[in-house]
Amino acid sequence: MTSPTTRAIDAWRADLVSSLDDPDRHADHLLDAVAAHDDGATWISRADAAVVRTRVRAAADAVRDGRSGALAGVPYAVKDNIDVAGLPTTAGCPAFSRVPDASSPVVARLDAAGAICLGKTNLDQFATGLVGTRSPYGTPRNPLDPLLIPGGSSSGSAVAVATGAVAFALGTDTAGSGRVPAAMTGIVGLKPRPGVLPSAGVIPAVASLDCVSVFAATVADADEVLAVLAGAGWGTSSGPMRVAVPDERSLAPLDARTRQAWDQTIELLAGLGIELRVVDLAPFFAVGDLLYGGPWVAERDVAVGAFIDAHLDDVDPVVRATVLASRSWSAADAYRARAELASLALSCAPTWVDAEVLAVPTIAWPPTIVEVDDDPVGVHAQLGRYTNFANLLGLAALSVPGTRRSDGMPVGVSLLCPTGREPALVAVAEHLERDRGVLPAAAGLAPRPGEHLLAVVGAHQSGLALNDLLTDRGATLVARIRTAPAYRLWALTHLEPPRPALERVNDGGAAIEAEVWSMHAAALGAVVAEVAAPLAVGSVELDGGQRVTGFVCEPAGLDDAIDISALGGWRSFLSRRDAVA
């Protein structure tokens, strides 16, 4: 898997510029990136290669003539409830499929800026769900762990970005569909306030609340795409930042590992001098309960109810039940709910007197596919606990990766604000992003002065069993990244506990999750001295081509090892093993 930080907007633009003498080379790079990460469920339809080449050539011509758009040559994907001219719009239901003659305004704006659409991505059918498993086209594979759901409803868009197949993707967000998948796949999800972006050419879920959203690898990339879509991005704030955070009772839905990671994220913010204000989320939760427990869901019936009546067997049973159940609501119920919303909004309002931003966990825990299969309604309800209220209150939101759990699983942090305070979202998000070591590939990874870099792929990673062998010796985390796609990862099961082994191969290699640490030479020497055969210390190539010192394995020690390369990393292997145990 290509690290998304190495295939962000700047990198793809640079790739086009370097290919001006042969634009088809850039087109090949775009098409190859999608093909390399096609799991059979992320994409519903793909742009024709000839169309991609034509658009790339036009983008190259524009660059040569000095009239290129802001996103010239940058690849993107579109959730398949948003119209793209010439590609089917299915909304995750084959019987619903139609081919529009015109693209939605949001797609047209991206195309005008020179971006290259590579296809339409999978979703929970009719954008009804936060799980990413309610599609006849399959469940996109979560690149962090195949046992986890990808999140929904914008599942395919998030996975396409998380794998590095595209630089960014469009999703939609009504109850959290642009934020939950971002949290589940470890990327950024940006959702403007309702009404900021046009919804024409978007199959409605709840038309009065729907927002087109953006998935990207970094906050800066997401904001740059928003600037093209809306005419202006959010920028960043340089003023004082006061952040409201949930009180103890409001954090009750979190499981133990997610709570520990959340506490570490809050400690980070406090350590940066950000003023924290503790608030009770009860009125926000009450607003969120209105979304699926109130008459707004009847708007889904208005949008697709007639189609469902005529195609009962073509619609996912959970989606069908959700939409048809909304018919029990009356007009009087709708007016009563609006009055209740107005009252609850007044109860939420004091939050914004003492804080510019509200920070909440995006998800209470990262559910597995098995958990969703066993309890689809219950898990779905918990996934929306910290997201459902945003659009009913007219809030902008930005979900970014926070501190990972001790098992390496992703935890998202959602930053929310009312109109006019969006720059503060970006400022807080960038603090969190710097802590994660997100660096552009062009900058490379550099150690602290007088130190050396060490790449680790196993138990030396953050939160795992041997990490203290680094931290106790003063090592600092530089970046979470991937190796070049030239390795196999093995589990040495004859050792107790099992150890990972990284093998360089000529063919059939994969990109493996890694961390890069900076440490003094003496400390590095002490770590090297602890390495026992068949493990060894050598040179590890990172995604992007940089080589650093790292742990490798002698081929002779792999006779009884298990190839776990398909899992993408040691954390995924541990979570899979624990789930089976």
Side-chain angles (χ1 to χ4, degrees):
M1 181 176 79
T2 301
S3 168
T5 59
T6 68
R7 287 298 187 188
I9 288 174
D10 285 344
W12 282 114
R13 275 190 294 235
D15 191 74
L16 175 64
V17 171
S18 69
S19 303
L20 292 181
D21 60 332
D22 182 11
D24 282 353
R25 184 168 68 240
H26 181 68
D28 287 341
H29 293 166
L30 303 185
L31 296 167
D32 289 347
V34 174
H37 304 298
D38 188 356
D39 59 6
T42 293
W43 301 85
I44 290 180
S45 61
R46 302 245 299 265
D48 184 79
V51 172
V52 171
R53 295 185 193 284
T54 297
R55 290 176 176 168
V56 168
R57 291 167 190 161
D61 288 343
V63 171
R64 291 192 204 93
D65 297 342
R67 53 182 175 82
S68 64
L71 300 174
V74 178
Y76 74 101
V78 179
K79 184 177 180 179
D80 200 20
N81 61 342
I82 303 173
D83 284 347
V84 175
L87 291 178
T89 299
T90 72
C93 180
F96 185 81
S97 180
R98 58 175 176 75
V99 180
D101 294 327
S103 294
S104 64
V106 287
V107 170
R109 293 173 186 180
L110 294 173
D111 290 346
I116 311 296
C117 177
L118 296 185
K120 307 290 290 295
T121 51
N122 204 352
L123 68 156
D124 284 315
Q125 196 171 71
F126 295 116
T128 302
L130 293 172
V131 291
T133 63
R134 300 174 180 175
S135 172
Y137 295 99
T139 298
R141 181 184 183 274
N142 189 317
L144 297 181
D145 189 326
L147 298 180
L148 296 179
I149 62 169
S153 60
S154 311
S155 54
S157 288
V159 170
V161 172
T163 58
V166 294
F168 69 91
L170 295 183
T172 59
D173 188 308
T174 304
S177 294
R179 290 162 281 158
V180 169
M184 288 299 307
T185 58
I187 60 172
V188 172
L190 182 154
K191 181 204 75 65
R193 291 174 292 106
V196 169
L197 298 179
S199 58
V202 179
I203 306 301
V206 176
S208 64
L209 301 177
D210 295 342
C211 300
V212 173
S213 68
V214 178
F215 294 101
T218 67
V219 174
D221 280 358
D223 194 46
E224 185 166 358
V225 174
L226 178 65
V228 170
L229 294 173
W234 285 348
T236 188
S237 171
S238 58
M241 287 181 289
R242 300 171 300 169
V243 176
V245 297
D247 63 10
E248 282 292 323
R249 183 174 62 174
S250 303
L251 293 172
L254 274 60
D255 69 4
R257 283 175 168 166
T258 304
R259 176 59 192 272
Q260 181 184 41
W262 173 255
D263 288 345
Q264 291 172 350
T265 296
I266 296 305
E267 289 173 6
L268 166 69
L269 294 178
L272 293 169
I274 295 174
E275 297 182 40
L276 303 181
R277 302 283 191 269
V278 178
V279 297
D280 182 0
L281 293 186
F284 290 89
F285 290 156
V287 169
D289 291 341
L290 289 175
L291 184 58
Y292 284 103
W296 278 272
V297 74
E299 291 192 52
R300 294 186 188 271
D301 186 29
V302 174
V304 296
F307 173 85
I308 291 176
D309 286 338
H311 302 82
L312 291 176
D313 293 337
D314 294 316
V315 180
D316 179 271
V318 178
V319 173
R320 183 176 66 229
T322 299
V323 175
L324 298 185
S326 70
R327 294 175 179 177
S328 63
W329 296 99
S330 68
D333 292 328
Y335 282 108
R336 276 192 289 267
R338 288 192 176 277
E340 184 178 359
L341 173 59
S343 176
L344 288 169
L346 289 175
S347 299
C348 296
T351 298
W352 311 114
V353 175
D354 294 326
E356 285 73 39
V357 173
L358 170 63
V360 300
T362 305
I363 54 175
W365 86 96
T368 64
I369 293 172
V370 171
E371 286 177 309
V372 171
D373 288 344
D374 289 344
D375 184 14
V377 176
V379 173
H380 182 273
Q382 286 299 323
L383 277 172
R385 195 62 174 154
Y386 296 99
T387 60
N388 285 349
F389 58 78
N391 286 357
L392 283 167
L393 292 172
L395 302 176
L398 183 60
S399 179
V400 296
T403 304
R404 284 207 179 182
R405 294 167 21 130
S406 60
D407 60 0
M409 294 300 100
V411 174
V413 177
S414 278
L415 307 169
L416 304 105
C417 73
T419 182
R421 300 187 184 181
E422 290 89 348
L425 296 187
V426 177
V428 177
E430 288 181 340
H431 278 302
L432 294 171
E433 197 167 62
R434 280 191 290 271
D435 176 66
R436 290 190 298 117
V438 174
L439 296 172
L445 303 180
R448 294 184 301 184
E451 295 190 354
H452 302 273
L453 295 179
L454 175 70
V456 297
V457 299
H460 288 83
Q461 294 182 86
S462 302
L464 299 186
L466 301 181
N467 184 240
D468 58 354
L469 297 181
L470 302 183
T471 57
D472 289 352
R473 289 167 171 146
T476 58
L477 180 64
V478 174
R480 295 184 177 96
I481 197 168
R482 299 250 166 194
T483 69
Y487 292 91
R488 287 187 184 139
L489 186 66
W490 301 83
L492 303 177
T493 55
H494 66 282
L495 300 178
E496 184 55 42
R499 304 287 179 85
L502 191 68
E503 179 194 21
R504 179 90 184 199
V505 294
N506 293 324
D507 297 301
I512 304 301
E513 184 182 57
E515 290 184 352
V516 179
W517 291 73
S518 176
M519 57 197 312
H520 288 290
L524 178 59
V527 172
V528 170
E530 294 165 346
V531 177
L535 301 179
V537 174
S539 175
V540 173
E541 183 182 358
L542 303 178
D543 190 14
Q546 183 175 2
R547 286 183 174 272
V548 300
T549 299
F551 297 131
V552 294
C553 187
E554 300 170 355
L558 299 175
D559 292 344
D560 298 320
I562 300 173
D563 188 348
I564 59 172
S565 308
L567 297 178
W570 187 244
R571 295 181 190 276
S572 295
F573 167 74
L574 293 178
S575 64
R576 187 185 186 100
R577 183 194 62 179
D578 292 345
V580 172

